[in-house]
């Protein structure tokens, strides 16, 4: 009997480590567990940064080459307009920028009538190629300065016709503030300017403006207008942005009158300036400087600002040797 009891006790003693070993193997590890014994939740990854857009923020200095400079940005979600201190009071002649309104006004006035193929060509070339002859033809069809009166009443603006000879009544001399330019852009994309039927057509033509700054000559009645704001936008905004620039070196004050307009579903941006031509070595250099200013303003308004590129580190193997 003593031998039997001893065997049972030895058997139990050997069984306990085996059972404990099995229980330990089947139990979850305590590493990574919370106080209740459950696994700790995996931290959620941080949300991706918002896609870049334009947002008023930094104070943009007046370019040293400009005797007049203004900019304005409308947030179309809130209707708020921010800009330079003179953006609601200073004015510039619109030059070819106003062609976007003239085309819109013409198409809206057509009502239920379908424009002829010749008329549609005028509307397209007036915007895509900034063709002066096309714009002049449409200007006559919309009643000339009566069109500016409609611009003010429909878009809530205060643009003024130029009344001094010999440029009285010219569409290109219409005086407008930077803030009113954004209201005109909002009027176009909202559908008020061209009407529901033609709004997308106008915006598409503005997205297809063609020709670089170098496609312009001092005597040309048509030229390249694809420059300025569009060149300063992040890649994700370019395809959905419609533009129309205006530019002329006017002899009466020997200055470049330059306007940049860009329309996006979230915002409208305008930049205006007058640059004395004497500051530049050639006729084209003045226009190129204006295009660069429009681009620079845009880049300063990008939000969030892109992270600066890290400075390249110097490999120890190529560091200059130290002299004793």
């Amino acid at each position: 009997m003593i031998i039997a009891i001893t065997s049972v006790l030895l058997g139990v003693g050997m069984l306990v480590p085996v059972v404990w070993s099995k229980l330990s193997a089947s139990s979850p590890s305590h590493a990574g567990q919370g106080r209740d014994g459950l696994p700790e939740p995996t931290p959620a990854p941080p949300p991706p940064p918002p896609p870049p857009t334009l947002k008023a923020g930094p104070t943009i200095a007046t370019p040293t080459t400009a005797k007049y400079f203004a900019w304005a940005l409308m947030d179309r979600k809130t209707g708020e307009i921010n800009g330079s201190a003179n953006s609601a009071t200073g004015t510039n002649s619109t030059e070819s920028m106003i062609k976007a309104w003239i085309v819109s006004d013409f198409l809206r006035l057509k009502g239920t009538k379908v424009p002829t193929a010749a008329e549609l060509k005028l509307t397209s070339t007036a915007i895509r190629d900034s063709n002066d002859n096309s714009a002049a033809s449409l200007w006559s069809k919309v009643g000339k300065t009566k069109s500016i009166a409609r611009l003010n009443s429909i878009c809530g603006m205060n643009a003024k016709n130029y009344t001094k000879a010999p440029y009285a009544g010219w569409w290109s001399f219409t005086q407008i503030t930077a803030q009113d330019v954004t209201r005109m852009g909002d009027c176009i994309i909202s559908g008020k300017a061209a009407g529901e039927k033609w709004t997308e057509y106008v915006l598409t033509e503005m997205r297809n403006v063609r020709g670089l700054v170098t496609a312009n000559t001092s005597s040309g009645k048509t030229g390249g207008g694809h420059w300025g704001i569009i060149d300063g936008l992040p890649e994700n905004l370019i395809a959905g942005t419609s533009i129309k620039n205006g530019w002329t070196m006017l002899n009466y004050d020997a200055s470049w009158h330059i306007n940049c307009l860009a329309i996006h579903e979230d915002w409208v941006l305008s930049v205006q300036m007058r640059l004395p031509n004497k500051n530049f070595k050639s006729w084209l250099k003045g226009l190129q400087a204006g295009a660069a200013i429009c681009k620079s303003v845009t880049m300063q308004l990008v939000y969030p600002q892109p992270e600066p590129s890290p400075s390249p580190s110097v490999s120890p193997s190529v560091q200059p040797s130290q002299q004793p």
Side-chain angles (χ1 to χ4, degrees):
M1 177 175 266
I2 293 173
I3 294 173
I5 292 172
T6 302
S7 299
V8 170
L9 290 173
L10 286 174
V12 171
M14 295 175 64
L15 180 62
V16 169
V18 174
V19 172
W20 175 252
S21 176
K22 290 183 178 181
L23 288 173
S24 299
S26 61
S27 301
S29 171
H30 288 277
Q33 289 182 352
R35 295 180 62 184
D36 56 1
L38 297 175
E40 291 281 4
T42 303
T53 187
L54 297 191
K55 183 178 179 180
T59 300
I60 297 169
T62 300
T64 56
T65 53
K67 65 179 182 181
Y68 169 79
F69 169 75
W71 67 272
L73 177 69
M74 174 188 283
D75 183 334
R76 294 197 64 246
K77 295 179 180 178
T78 64
E80 183 179 4
I81 303 176
N82 290 283
S84 55
N86 61 345
S87 62
T89 56
T91 62
N92 202 28
S93 57
T94 61
E95 307 309 322
S96 293
M97 182 182 64
I98 199 69
K99 292 171 182 174
W101 163 258
I102 296 172
V103 168
S104 298
D105 194 30
F106 169 77
L107 292 170
R108 190 193 67 262
L109 290 174
K110 292 294 288 186
T112 58
K113 296 181 180 179
V114 179
T116 65
E119 288 174 333
L120 281 178
K121 185 176 181 180
L122 292 175
T123 64
S124 180
T125 54
I127 293 178
R128 290 194 186 204
D129 303 316
S130 204
N131 188 295
D132 288 345
N133 294 332
S134 297
S137 178
L138 294 171
W139 180 240
S140 295
K141 293 177 184 292
V142 296
K144 298 186 176 181
T145 56
K146 293 179 181 179
S147 182
I148 303 304
R150 288 191 294 272
L151 171 63
N152 289 331
S153 62
I154 292 173
C155 301
M157 294 167 46
N158 191 33
K160 298 184 183 301
N161 294 310
Y162 196 75
T163 57
K164 296 180 181 180
Y167 306 112
W170 284 26
W171 48 265
S172 59
F173 275 73
T174 303
Q175 302 296 302
I176 191 170
T177 68
Q179 289 199 15
D180 269 353
V181 174
T182 67
R183 293 185 181 98
M184 183 179 77
D186 180 65
C187 194
I188 291 173
I189 193 172
S190 71
K192 294 179 181 178
E196 182 179 357
K197 182 177 181 180
W198 292 103
T199 293
E200 188 55 37
Y201 170 82
V202 173
L203 293 171
T204 298
E205 291 300 310
M206 294 175 71
R207 286 192 286 266
N208 283 282
V209 167
R210 52 199 171 198
L212 302 178
V213 173
T214 51
N216 294 278
T217 63
S218 59
S219 59
K221 293 293 184 181
T222 185
H226 195 276
W227 43 264
I229 293 173
I230 199 73
D231 294 330
L233 291 175
E235 189 69 28
N236 67 299
L237 297 178
I238 293 175
T241 299
S242 302
I243 65 170
K244 185 68 191 82
N245 297 324
W247 64 99
T248 310
M249 207 298 290
L250 293 171
N251 292 324
Y252 84 88
D253 67 350
S255 295
W256 277 100
H257 290 225
I258 297 174
N259 303 275
C260 296
L261 165 65
I263 305 171
H264 186 270
E265 63 178 354
D266 293 332
W267 47 261
V268 181
L269 175 62
S270 69
V271 185
Q272 300 178 316
M273 71 200 78
R274 291 194 291 275
L275 309 178
N277 194 47
K278 66 180 180 181
N279 293 341
F280 308 102
K281 294 181 179 180
S282 69
W283 179 89
L284 189 59
K285 292 293 184 182
L287 181 55
Q288 289 175 316
I293 291 171
C294 289
K295 175 182 177 180
S296 174
V297 170
T298 307
M299 293 177 69
Q300 293 178 68
L301 294 173
V302 172
Y303 179 85
Q305 283 284 304
E307 293 291 334
S309 300
S311 301
S313 58
V314 180
S315 170
S317 61
V318 295
Q319 288 181 348
S321 59
Q322 295 181 351
Q323 298 296 324

